[in-house]
Amino acid sequence: MRRILPLDPIRAAPSRDIALLRQGIPKGHKISEQVEGLVQKATALYESLSDPKGVFAEISLSEFEEVYHGDGQNASPAPLPGIMKEADCLALFAATIGEPVSRAIDELFQGNDPATGCMLDGIASERAEASADLLAAEFLGSVLETGGADGGARVLPYSPGYCGWHITGQRRLFSFLGPEEIGITLSPSCLMSPIKSVSGVLVAGRPEIHDFENDFDFCFDCDTWECRERIASLFEPLPTKD
Ligand code: SF4
């Protein structure tokens, strides 16, 4: 199964509160008219320029073990090798907000408006992360429909460059998935272009398979401990469509 999706829900910018939170400004904090204007300008720019697309393709465990191994530079131990073995289904994915947004951010920083560039950068990063969640929801829907996973299954994305999976893993991921078809390319140093793009593997399975202790060597250098929130979210009810 390989699907390309337009990701229309993230053509819209996130809420004002989320855009501000990305700049470290908590909800309810009083902001100046100037900052309010920056949010409005960056939001309008994002919504006029965004062209989000995603692709995912199912992959067998043995194929993914080869992709994950990459150039042999992964940290060991790491969470993903154990998680993938317990998964019901796996799919490689990539998504992008599109080239025009990334170009606009560059131009704002190189020109005379780094403040708007910063705000737009935060909005685009948040939307890129949201694109992975959208693809995860689509993949979950597909595997539930085909009976590839049981009704209690959930999907989490994992990406090269995080949690022990070396960034050079991008090379085999790109060879297998071919995200060039939606306009994403890979540089020799494994950076994606457009810069506001994400890639990785979608892992479908029981919530418990994603639950691990974050006591790996590389966790001591981690600023976010983002895995704690991701794991906790799996044990909450799925949002309903209305
Ligand atoms: S603490 Fe950070 S590096 Fe460690 S598993 Fe969690 S997110 Fe990954």
Side-chain angles (χ1 to χ4, degrees), residues 79 163 212 214 216 218-219 222 224-227:
C163 309
F212 58 83
N214 57 338
F216 300 98
F218 46 81
C219 296
C222 177
T224 65
W225 281 27
E226 194 187 319
C227 57

